[in-house]
Amino acid sequence: MAETVFSKIIRGEIPAKIVHDDEQCLAFHDISAQAPVHVLVIPKRPIESLEQLSASDAGLLGHIWTVIPQLARQLGVSESGYRVVVNCGRDGGQSVDHLHFHLLAGRPLKWPPG
Ligand code: AMP
């Protein structure tokens, strides 16, 4: 997998506003926020996209899916609501080839997305 900006954030080589850090994943504010709350949750292990996942990643994914609602509570949006988005591949709008979960909140989000 090619080096990405997220690998550099994991290694602390470029700054990020980190809101969660544990053995398996990291969460930080998106540099180009699309909502008042826009956080990215990423696995520390480099995984390019949803397409690279296998059954052996189930534990990691379960962990990330429990961190996300914890973060929503921490950021004060669990009651107002939020959306979790994973873009996959070019047509899916993925621009950074390191799996990431967008947590978007703080305003009513439109549906369907563009
Ligand atoms: P995606 O388009 O789904 O691949 O999302 C990639 C996201 O990474 C975009 O929302 C970018 O704004 C965000 N991003 C890119 N570089 C950085 C960075 N250095 N720090 C924080 N977020 C970033």
Side-chain angles (χ1 to χ4, degrees), residues 5 9 12 22 31 34-35 41 51 61 67 69 71 74 83-84 88-90 94 99 102 106 108-109 111 114:
V5 67
I9 290 175
D22 67 37
I31 205 166
Q34 301 301 310
V41 185
E51 283 292 304
L61 292 174
V67 166
L71 276 170
Q74 181 182 321
R83 183 173 296 166
V84 181
C88 182
R90 293 299 157 247
Q94 183 173 5
L99 178 65
H102 296 257
L109 298 164
W111 190 262

Side-chain angles (χ1 to χ4, degrees), residues 34-36 80-83 104-111:
Q34 301 301 310
S80 51
Y82 53 93
R83 183 173 296 166
L104 296 146
R107 66 171 171 83
L109 298 164
K110 294 193 174 76
W111 190 262

Side-chain angles (χ1 to χ4, degrees), residues 5-6 9 28-32 40 87 93-96 100 102:
V5 67
F6 292 173
I9 290 175
F28 50 89
H29 288 282
D30 195 294
I31 205 166
S32 176
L40 301 173
N87 296 324
Q94 183 173 5
S95 62
V96 177
H100 51 282
H102 296 257

